Amino acid sequence: MIDVRDLIRYCDDLLEAARFADYAPNGLQVEGERPIQRLVSGVTASAALIEAAIAEQADAILVHHGWFWKSENPCLTGIKGRRARTLLRAGASLIAYHLPLDAHPELGNNATLGRRLDFIDMEPTALANGLVWVGCLAQPMTPEDFAAHVSQRLARPAQRVGRENGVIERVAWCTGGGQGYLEQAAGLGVDAFLSGELSEQTTHQARELDLCYLAAGHHATERYGIQALGEHLADRFGLWHRFVEIDNPA
């Protein structure tokens, strides 16, 4: 069992949260009523995840996508109000780490996704405060085979645009909504760039850069970091932990 404030201090240091100018607050977003013994993790603090955490009698919910985004109305009304009332009635805390979790060299989304996809020689780049990573495939693949490999490993069909021929050896990636880094990633001398989403302009950029681009799902590419962080905290502090997968095809 650990006090929530002590857990937040540990996570802030571990993830170097102060290093990031983020789109939402990192750390403790809603303070619960009790110390933490039971921890549920998930990608997004949705109503379904909150209900699942309550069913597990969780003292805290740990997520990558929390609440209070800068682009949103801050008022707790409608969907947000219903989520907040459910959480507060349960007395559980809500803890969220966004960009700091993307970037962590061991537990982060980029690091864990790279391992999931069997990339080798992985390392963060200087782009976007370390959010864009590079690595190599264990064996060269055609663009079609690379897309099939990613789809199989993530259990979700990846969308492929851009380069149709040749081989893929060196890859850059940024989990989630990182498609905006495509042109910068091309400057790294890679054959492919992978992220979660496909914007309208992404197709044209990939074609004009002669780069293979894969959109493998925002949710699908960001499932593994929060699991790794939850497991790490459970091991470090003797907590009960469970990751809850709330299916999301986006």
Side-chain angles (χ1 to χ4, degrees):
M1 186 177 295
I2 184 172
D3 183 83
V4 67
R5 297 284 177 176
D6 293 333
L7 186 67
I8 295 302
R9 279 192 288 269
Y10 177 82
C11 289
D12 283 350
D13 289 343
L14 175 69
L15 302 175
E16 298 182 288
R19 187 163 66 87
F20 296 86
D22 215 330
Y23 311 108
N26 287 297
L28 184 60
Q29 293 193 339
V30 179
E31 187 170 6
E33 299 175 347
R34 53 189 180 270
I36 299 170
Q37 177 61 54
R38 297 177 66 84
L39 179 68
V40 160
S41 63
V43 177
T44 299
S46 63
L49 181 64
I50 295 167
E51 293 289 355
I54 291 171
E56 296 287 4
Q57 299 181 311
D59 303 306
I61 304 172
L62 174 69
V63 297
H64 181 52
H65 300 138
W67 296 348
F68 312 114
W69 298 92
K70 290 180 180 178
S71 59
E72 293 181 349
N73 184 330
C75 298
L76 295 176
T77 59
I79 288 174
K80 290 189 288 186
R82 290 193 292 273
R83 291 174 178 175
R85 287 192 296 274
T86 303
L87 180 68
L88 290 168
R89 281 196 295 265
S93 295
L94 177 63
I95 303 166
Y97 286 96
H98 186 233
L99 296 183
L101 183 59
D102 287 326
H104 193 271
E106 292 296 329
L107 305 174
N109 282 321
N110 285 304
T112 53
L113 179 67
R115 293 196 294 270
R116 179 74 181 179
L117 297 178
D118 304 318
F119 295 160
I120 60 175
D121 300 328
M122 302 187 303
E123 61 180 357
T125 72
L127 294 180
N129 204 10
L131 295 176
V132 176
W133 281 50
V134 293
C136 296
L137 303 185
Q139 294 182 335
M141 299 181 185
T142 65
E144 183 178 5
D145 288 343
F146 179 48
H149 169 71
V150 171
S151 299
Q152 188 274 327
R153 295 294 288 152
L154 300 187
R156 181 195 184 280
Q159 293 179 278
R160 174 172 60 90
V161 298
R163 181 186 297 182
E164 296 283 348
N165 301 309
V167 295
I168 307 299
E169 297 184 77
R170 186 167 165 80
V171 180
W173 68 97
C174 177
T175 65
Q179 67 273 26
Y181 298 121
L182 175 61
E183 190 167 0
Q184 293 170 275
L188 300 171
V190 298
D191 305 305
F193 183 59
L194 183 151
S195 190
E197 301 180 5
L198 181 66
S199 298
E200 190 276 338
Q201 66 269 25
T202 310
T203 299
H204 303 295
Q205 291 173 332
R207 289 170 178 167
E208 293 170 31
L209 292 165
D210 189 29
L211 198 70
C212 174
Y213 176 76
L214 293 189
H218 194 131
H219 175 89
T221 59
E222 297 196 322
R223 283 180 295 198
Y224 305 105
I226 202 69
Q227 293 183 58
L229 178 59
E231 291 165 2
H232 173 83
L233 296 176
D235 290 342
R236 178 70 175 78
F237 297 107
L239 307 178
W240 178 94
H241 167 254
R242 181 189 168 203
F243 171 78
V244 176
E245 168 70 355
I246 305 295
D247 183 57
N248 186 344

